[in-house]
Amino acid sequence: MNTRKTLAELAKTIRSKNAGTDKITFDIIFREKETYEMVKRSGALTRESVCDVLNVDPARLTDFVEYDPAYAIKFTILRMRPSGSAGDGDIFGAQQYAPFLDLEVDLSS
Amino acid sequence: MSSLKIICPNGHLGFAPLKTGSFHLGVDAGPDFIAADSGSDDIGPVPLGTDTCASPKAWQEHDLEEMLLAARRIGVPMMIGSAGDTGTNSRVDMYVDTIRRIAAKHKLPPFKIGWFYSEVGKDMVRAKIRGGSPIRGLDAREDLTEAELDATDRIVAMAGVHPFVKLLEEGCDVIIGGRSSDSAIFAAAALFKGYPEPQSYYLGKVLECASFCAEPYGAKETVLGEITRDAVEVTAMAPFQSCTIASVAGHAMYERSNPFHEFVAGGMLDMTNCHYEQAADKTTRVTGMEFVPAEEFRVKLEGSGKVGERYVGMAGIRDPYTIAHVDEVIAWARAQAEERFGKDGWELHYNVFGRNGVMGDMEPLKDQPGHELCVVVQGIAPTKEMAEELTMTGTRQLFYARLPDVKGTAGGVSFVLDEVLHASPAYRWTVNHTMAVSDPLELFPTHTATIG
């Protein structure tokens, strides 16, 4: 049985958005408690893995929370420069989540 | 009063028009207040720096007219925070004037309007720094230096509940606020009516973005919040939406770095022990929120400083060899600008869409560019004339880039427009800090008048 699925298949919502002028926050929200618990157990989303996906220094990750009431995993990074600085490709920080859609989760554990 | 109801029709008044269907369902539900926030720092530093709006006037007037007519018809206060996207003094005046014009147009019976300002003078901030009261940086920023203050053009302070409560106490029917914490607008109404702080601030937190706390996704729909001494209930007004445990709990973490804590002037809403239950099909009830008052009263400041005048150019690339060497193409164009203007005193920024224009260095697929690219060029310089020529150099020289093995020697890029476009000046966020004040109303002078 194939126990590998992408985060896009498992999550209800995968989004990013500014959290103030200097941070971008990511919300990955699951429909059911079971899926949320399975993804937590899989270890696919950790402080290390999200920094790896985004190619950011772990020092730029300011928060990483497993948020049980919403079946959600949430993490926040410091921007390289404040939102809307010239050259910023995403003033709202709303399109930074895309690489997480294809993140593979091994549900066998 | 055993409960109080507030409706919120729009999470950022003016940014896109409210949906009238669910708004009128909300008005028919008999709210005690109608409130919305109109601002955000999401829009970047340009509107604050240039003291302009990010939203079209027509959309702002549409929402203000809907809200004012409904509020006066059912006889409840209407409250707006962060007028005109930034909450600067000119935007507050503009909204007060808009309310006057709408009232005259509809010949509304007399009512009392209150408004407050929130701009902070640089002299005051400088005096605090020199007086030994540091302006502390948020989000890993250093304390504010006088040099950074010098580079700042305009500063707004973020109001908490205090000026709103004061204007409600003075009997205002309509309140137009300067820059405000989104949640404070709603919390102020509940606190004014005697509800406890935890429930009041949570009410504000959950209502601030209107239908973003409901599902399925649909922006600009009205939601209704009801507060009691123990709980907050939130109900979607749009027929296709519901407030579910997942959507309401999920909203608690929207746009903030941490889902448990919401900081406002004067304290912190702690949502760590919140309990969510489905009270009805479209309604979720929340209990267990807490509020921790701050030991020192600190107000958040937002400031924007001008970098320079700006033009924008665009170029397309289809040749696979040129795509593979796009950084060299850009380096060539940049070198031509350097030859013309020297090394300093200007900026050229390139976003390569189709490769990593959106995500920059965070893009995992930057080594797999698309089969065609769009390069957006921004040129920034002290004068418009120089910015235009600089951007033209940085864009047109992409056409002449000297790649050693290119086959197409008649021109290296495609142009949709053989010109560069005048854009807003470039600004940057210079201030994202907090300042201590001794009086919560110190930075937010209030005014009232009778209209009609």
Side-chain angles (χ1 to χ4, degrees):
Chain A
M1 195 180 97
N2 184 8
T3 59
R4 299 182 79 81
K5 288 196 170 177
T6 66
L7 209 50
E9 291 175 276
L10 294 166
K12 178 177 77 169
T13 301
I14 302 174
R15 68 187 180 194
S16 62
K17 187 79 197 290
N18 288 345
T21 59
D22 297 341
K23 290 175 170 177
I24 297 175
T25 193
F26 297 76
D27 302 337
I28 297 168
I29 309 175
F30 299 91
R31 213 170 258 105
E32 316 86 9
K33 185 168 200 269
E34 295 68 35
T35 314
Y36 166 64
E37 294 292 345
M38 272 196 303
V39 173
K40 273 209 289 187
R41 269 201 308 277
S42 76
L45 286 168
T46 62
R47 287 178 164 271
E48 294 71 29
S49 76
V50 302
C51 290
D52 201 42
V53 168
L54 295 171
N55 186 34
V56 300
D57 187 307
R60 279 175 56 197
L61 185 81
T62 62
D63 299 81
F64 184 94
V65 181
E66 290 169 341
Y67 180 44
D68 292 347
Y71 310 149
I73 295 171
K74 178 177 181 65
F75 46 92
T76 304
I77 59 165
L78 284 169
R79 280 174 165 271
M80 286 302 279
R81 52 187 154 181
S83 71
S85 302
D88 176 16
D90 190 359
I91 291 179
F92 286 72
Q95 277 291 302
Q96 305 297 309
Y97 62 87
F100 291 99
L101 297 168
D102 296 330
L103 187 73
E104 283 213 333
V105 183
D106 185 349
L107 298 171
S108 61
S109 56
Chain B
M1 194 184 284
S2 60
S3 81
L4 173 94
K5 291 187 228 171
I6 305 181
I7 55 170
C8 176
N10 197 332
H12 179 166
L13 186 152
F15 206 65
L18 66 80
K19 299 290 187 188
T20 52
S22 63
F23 176 64
H24 289 293
L25 289 172
V27 175
D28 291 345
D32 301 291
F33 289 86
I34 300 176
D37 184 60
S38 175
S40 178
D41 57 18
D42 265 347
I43 52 181
V46 172
L48 177 60
T50 52
D51 202 8
T52 56
C53 289
S55 300
K57 202 164 196 167
W59 297 355
Q60 294 172 333
E61 290 185 356
H62 170 269
D63 281 17
L64 291 173
E65 186 166 18
E66 286 283 346
M67 292 175 72
L68 180 66
L69 294 184
R72 297 320 308 138
R73 180 165 59 80
I74 63 173
V76 303
M78 159 186 171
M79 302 166 74
I80 304 292
S82 303
D85 303 303
T86 62
T88 59
N89 297 359
S90 76
R91 302 302 95 179
V92 172
D93 290 339
M94 187 183 86
Y95 269 31
V96 171
D97 184 55
T98 303
I99 294 287
R100 282 185 199 280
R101 281 188 292 107
I102 296 168
K105 175 180 155 191
H106 293 278
K107 302 187 171 59
L108 295 181
F111 60 90
K112 188 168 180 180
I113 188 168
W115 65 96
F116 70 85
Y117 296 114
S118 60
E119 276 190 39
V120 179
K122 284 160 67 171
D123 291 347
M124 179 198 229
V125 179
R126 198 182 306 277
K128 292 264 184 190
I129 295 174
R130 291 187 180 172
S133 175
I135 311 299
R136 289 202 193 117
L138 291 164
D139 303 334
R141 287 191 182 221
E142 304 284 323
D143 287 354
L144 189 66
T145 61
E146 289 198 49
E148 228 12 25
L149 185 62
D150 290 338
T152 302
D153 286 283
R154 193 164 287 100
I155 303 172
V156 285
M158 191 174 272
V161 296
H162 313 85
F164 288 102
V165 171
K166 177 164 191 269
L167 290 168
L168 286 172
E169 285 169 354
E170 291 178 12
C172 292
D173 301 300
V174 174
I175 297 175
I176 301 296
R179 187 73 174 113
S180 316
S181 291
D182 306 8
S183 61
I185 306 156
F186 308 89
L191 289 170
F192 169 66
K193 290 288 186 182
Y195 289 90
E197 283 179 320
Q199 286 72 19
S200 297
Y201 281 103
Y202 189 92
L203 178 74
K205 175 74 200 78
V206 76
L207 288 182
E208 67 185 14
C209 285
S211 51
F212 275 19
C213 67
E215 64 179 336
Y217 175 79
K220 309 300 174 186
E221 301 287 356
T222 293
V223 294
L224 181 148
E226 184 166 5
I227 182 173
T228 64
R229 294 200 65 78
D230 313 305
V232 170
E233 290 191 355
V234 55
T235 305
M237 291 292 110
F240 73 99
Q241 284 192 310
S242 296
C243 287
T244 66
I245 292 174
S247 72
V248 173
H251 184 69
M253 60 186 173
Y254 183 67
E255 286 186 323
R256 58 246 327 121
S257 51
N258 171 310
F260 303 120
H261 302 145
E262 164 89 352
F263 290 89
V264 294
M268 183 263 286
L269 172 68
D270 189 343
M271 296 177 275
T272 309
N273 298 315
C274 275
H275 177 70
Y276 298 83
E277 58 186 302
Q278 197 73 42
D281 282 354
K282 294 163 78 72
T283 304
T284 285
R285 178 186 296 128
V286 190
T287 51
M289 56 289 273
E290 292 158 56
F291 187 77
V292 185
E295 286 180 14
E296 182 183 38
F297 198 93
R298 299 191 74 84
V299 178
K300 184 187 173 198
L301 304 180
E302 297 173 345
S304 174
K306 187 172 179 177
V307 181
E309 299 293 334
R310 174 162 59 176
Y311 275 76
V312 170
M314 286 176 284
I317 306 179
R318 181 62 180 81
D319 180 332
Y321 172 78
T322 308
I323 286 174
H325 295 85
V326 63
D327 286 328
E328 290 155 67
V329 172
I330 290 169
W332 164 267
R334 199 184 284 281
Q336 303 313 299
E338 210 170 292
E339 219 168 81
R340 170 75 177 88
F341 296 106
K343 281 190 182 305
D344 303 315
W346 53 272
E347 293 179 18
L348 270 177
H349 297 276
Y350 291 88
N351 285 82
V352 183
F353 290 96
R355 184 187 68 172
N356 64 342
V358 175
M359 295 191 66
D361 285 343
M362 295 204 297
E363 174 57 64
L365 303 180
K366 58 177 173 282
D367 298 328
Q368 299 171 43
H371 72 273
E372 61 180 20
L373 302 180
C374 174
V375 183
V376 173
V377 186
Q378 295 181 56
I380 298 159
T383 65
K384 276 170 71 172
E385 292 69 25
M386 181 177 164
E388 183 174 19
E389 194 196 335
L390 168 71
T391 310
M392 186 57 98
T393 304
T395 306
R396 190 165 292 165
Q397 287 292 340
L398 297 171
F399 195 82
Y400 299 114
R402 295 174 186 177
L403 291 181
D405 295 319
V406 73
K407 306 280 186 195
T409 52
V413 298
S414 77
F415 289 124
V416 177
L417 302 165
D418 187 24
E419 63 195 77
V420 292
L421 309 177
H422 184 223
S424 56
Y427 279 78
R428 64 187 178 88
W429 290 113
T430 49
V431 183
N432 178 29
H433 290 71
T434 66
M435 182 170 83
V437 293
S438 48
D439 173 358
L441 287 166
E442 181 179 336
L443 304 177
F444 309 106
T446 61
H447 304 269
T448 62
T450 298
I451 290 181

